[in-house]
Each structure stands twice: as structure tokens, then as C-alpha cells.
Amino acid sequence: MHIEKTKGILIVTSFIIVAGIAILIGLGGKEKKSKFRTEKVTKGDIVATASATGTVNAVTTVLVGTQVSGTIKNIYVDFNSSVKKGQLIAQIDPATFEAQVDQARANLLSAKANVDKAEATLFDVKRSMDRNKELFSKNLIARSDLDTSETNFETTKAQLSTAKAQLAQAVAALRYAEINYKNTKIISPVDGIVISRNIDVGQTVAASFQTPTLFTIAQDLTKMQIDTNVSEADIGKAKVGQAVEFSVDAYPEVTFKGSVLQIRSAPIVVQNVVTYDVVIKVDNQDLKLKPGMTANVSIIIELKNNVLKIPNTALRFKLSEKSKPPDKGHSIWIIEKGKPKRIKVSTGISDESYTELVSGEIKEGQELIVESLEKAKDKPRSSGPRMF
């Protein structure tokens, strides 16, 4: 009986000791539970970018129109057709213009005949004047007869000048009619691809007030450009030659490359928002990019490799202490001996998630406070509508 009683006491004592240790461990765990969420300082690359959106366009786009009015007789190309400079791509019915050329040629022949006639008349009048001068010198005719012959000579000479002017007008009219006839043939001015056709056979085009656009030809789709709208806050960071990465909705998994070609100084103001056009040159050898696509562009302002990176959330974290003066410059908070400690730091470039650490008593792998876990407890509960 004594042995069994001793065993019972030992079992109870052991149970009490184990329970006590468990309670102490539980209390210790609660005490050691952190009041803050932290993230580590890491090493890696940081890319500072300026974001913008833009439209993919051909470098050179030519609008092909017509200088004459008429009915479209033939169309020789269609959408996506490859064309060469000087290639016939459409024709306006030339019948009316052929008739105008024939009429102008006939008027030219008539004008030449009038010149010949005026020259013959002038020769005859001059001969009469010379004869009258000889007769007047011998007192065989009156002075008035000589004056009349001289007047006829001057008049006929003026008529010859008029005939020659009319001949020049006829030459010009023929040339104008021939140009109009030539313009009935719509010729491609460049090598390229037809990206738009705005006419059909039988359609009448009128070039009275403005030149209608018949075709739009992209000169070379293997070289494209993006016209982006960069905000005035970022335009000072953009430089010609900077690398660019962008994506389009058609290929969301592909990151395209480019570079800054031009920064235009003319401001674009839309609803009091000022942006500037930054032109990005893009290689498009595989012809994936098409004119009009919307591009989400990231201009790489600066790139630094293998630097200490601070989470941006750590830089934004502020410990609410009324007794402390407001922070000047950048600072972060760490946990030292169970208490938060503020450390001043100098920072460099930044991306959307991390900022470069330039100087400060921070090492790789060190935990930084990014959030207080007691904030939710401090916030007052929102009371709902009272029910009666």
C-alpha cells in the first residue's frame, strides 16, 4: 500500500510540473509574440521606370489621294497588299480627260495656225509700208498714206504678239490636260503595305475642295514607333536613347523592347493634365505589332544591379509617438531588444516595390517593420444604424 501511494504522489507531482511548464511556455509565447509585421532587407536589382501609354504606329504613313474628280474604274490593290513605289494601284475613268487632252491639242494647232497667219499678214503689211516709204520719198503719195501703212504695220505686229501669247496659253492648257489625264492613274508614292482602302469600283470621288484619301500606305511595318503620353512629373527623367519595355493586349505574355527616339516639347493638355509626346522606336521584324495597338510602356530611367533593397512599405511605416519630433528625411524601424528602434537611411532609385539603400546602419537579411499589428485593435468599431 505504501508503494502504491508513493507512485500516485509521483504521478500527480509529475502532472503538475508538466502542466506548469506548458503554462509557462504558453505565457512566454504570448509575451514573445511580435506586435509588428516585418520584412527582410534583400540584395538584388532595382529598375526605376516611368510608366506611360501610347499607340503603335508605322514610322511613315502616306495618305494617297487624287487631284482629279471622277469615277473609280479599276482598283488593283486591297488591304495588306505589298506595293512598290510607282506601282499603279487604282484608276479613275480617263474618258473625260482624254477628250480634254484632244481638245487642248486641237486648240494648240489652231493657235499655231493663227501665229502663222499673223506672221504672213505682218510680212505683207511691212512690205506695203516699205513701198509707201519709197513712194513718199519721191513725192508720189501723200503723207497720210504713209502714216496709214505705218499704223497698219504696228497693229499687225501687235496681233502677232497676241497670237503668240494665245499659242503659249494653248501649250499650257495642253500640258494641264495631260497632267489631269496622267493623274487618273493613282500611283503608290512609296514602297509599303496598304493598311487602309477607302474606295470601291464605281465610286465617285470629288477633289474640288480637299484631296480625298483613297489609300493609306505604311512605308515599312518592320520598323514601328510608339507615340506615348508621359506626365510632366516624369518627363524630366526621360532621355533620348533610354531602353524601353512595353506590352500590348494582343500578346500579354510577351515583353517587347524599344528605345526613346524623340522627346517632343509641345505640351498636350487634356482636362488640365499636361503630358508630352515621347516617341519610342521599335523593331518589328516578325510583324507582330500592328498600327493602332495600345502599348503599356515602361521607360527604364535607371538600372542598378546587386544593391541592398528596402521594401517601400518599410519607408512608409511611421510609429505613432506624440513625444517625438516629426521625422526629417527617410527612416526605417527595426526591432532591437524587443523594442522598435528608428534608423535614418539615405535612399537611391526606387521601383514599385523596393528602394535602393545608399547608406544607413542596415545589413542584408535584417528585419524591418512594415506594419503594426495593433492598428486594427486601436481603430474604433463602426457602429451600425440603431434599431428601435
Side-chain angles (χ1 to χ4, degrees), residues 66-79:
T66 175
Q67 295 180 348
V68 296
S69 302
T71 303
I72 300 297
K73 184 179 181 181
N74 295 304
I75 297 176
Y76 301 105
V77 296
D78 204 346
F79 292 92

Side-chain angles (χ1 to χ4, degrees), residues 349-362:
I349 66 172
S350 178
D351 60 17
E352 294 180 357
S353 302
Y354 294 93
T355 298
E356 175 196 7
L357 174 65
V358 176
S359 64
E361 297 177 2
I362 300 297

Side-chain angles (χ1 to χ4, degrees), residues 64-70 92 97 176 179-180 182-186 205-212 214:
V64 181
T66 175
Q67 295 180 348
V68 296
S69 302
I92 294 174
F97 300 95
Y176 179 72
I179 290 173
N180 282 341
K182 183 180 178 181
N183 285 338
T184 60
K185 296 179 178 180
I186 310 301
V205 292
S208 303
F209 301 103
Q210 61 182 6
T211 302
L214 309 183

Side-chain angles (χ1 to χ4, degrees), residues 154-336:
E154 295 297 332
T155 301
T156 305
K157 190 162 80 171
Q159 290 174 349
L160 175 59
S161 298
T162 301
K164 288 181 177 180
Q166 291 173 346
L167 174 61
Q169 287 179 340
V171 171
L174 176 59
R175 187 162 59 247
Y176 179 72
E178 288 175 340
I179 290 173
N180 282 341
Y181 174 70
K182 183 180 178 181
N183 285 338
T184 60
K185 296 179 178 180
I186 310 301
I187 305 297
S188 174
V190 293
D191 295 345
I193 296 176
V194 177
I195 59 175
S196 176
R197 174 176 64 82
N198 304 319
I199 54 169
D200 293 300
V201 173
Q203 183 176 338
T204 300
V205 292
S208 303
F209 301 103
Q210 61 182 6
T211 302
T213 299
L214 309 183
F215 300 92
T216 302
I217 298 178
Q219 187 169 0
D220 185 4
L221 290 182
T222 62
K223 298 185 184 301
M224 306 287 279
Q225 70 179 33
I226 304 174
D227 294 290
T228 63
N229 296 320
V230 177
S231 67
E232 59 180 325
D234 293 329
I235 195 64
K237 306 172 189 174
K239 307 292 180 186
V240 173
Q242 286 174 334
V244 173
E245 295 181 348
F246 68 95
S247 63
V248 294
D249 292 340
Y251 308 101
E253 73 286 354
V254 179
T255 299
F256 296 92
K257 307 289 185 180
S259 61
V260 177
L261 175 65
Q262 188 180 61
I263 301 172
R264 295 177 179 171
S265 299
I268 303 170
V269 183
V270 178
Q271 295 181 348
N272 294 327
V273 177
V274 180
T275 59
Y276 294 86
D277 187 6
V278 175
V279 182
I280 311 298
K281 67 176 180 179
V282 179
D283 187 64
N284 189 35
Q285 294 295 330
D286 54 6
L287 300 179
K288 281 187 175 181
L289 299 173
K290 301 186 184 303
M293 285 183 170
T294 299
N296 300 309
V297 177
S298 293
I299 301 172
I300 299 176
I301 305 301
E302 193 173 355
L303 168 63
K304 290 194 176 180
N305 299 314
N306 198 30
V307 296
L308 288 176
K309 298 170 22 174
I310 299 175
N312 290 342
T313 49
L315 289 170
R316 290 193 293 266
F317 176 77
K318 301 294 180 185
L319 191 64
S320 57
E321 293 184 12
K322 297 180 180 179
S323 59
K324 293 184 68 66
D327 295 341
K328 292 183 180 180
H330 292 294
S331 62
I332 50 88
W333 293 82
I334 65 172
I335 297 176
E336 188 175 279

Side-chain angles (χ1 to χ4, degrees), residues 36-54:
F36 303 98
R37 186 171 67 85
T38 61
E39 287 189 24
K40 290 183 179 181
V41 176
T42 59
K43 259 192 178 182
D45 301 339
I46 295 184
V47 181
T49 62
S51 300
T53 57

Side-chain angles (χ1 to χ4, degrees), residues 102-116 167 170:
D102 293 340
Q103 183 180 1
R105 190 171 287 120
N107 291 338
L108 177 60
L109 294 174
S110 176
K112 287 181 177 179
N114 288 336
V115 169
D116 294 340
L167 174 61

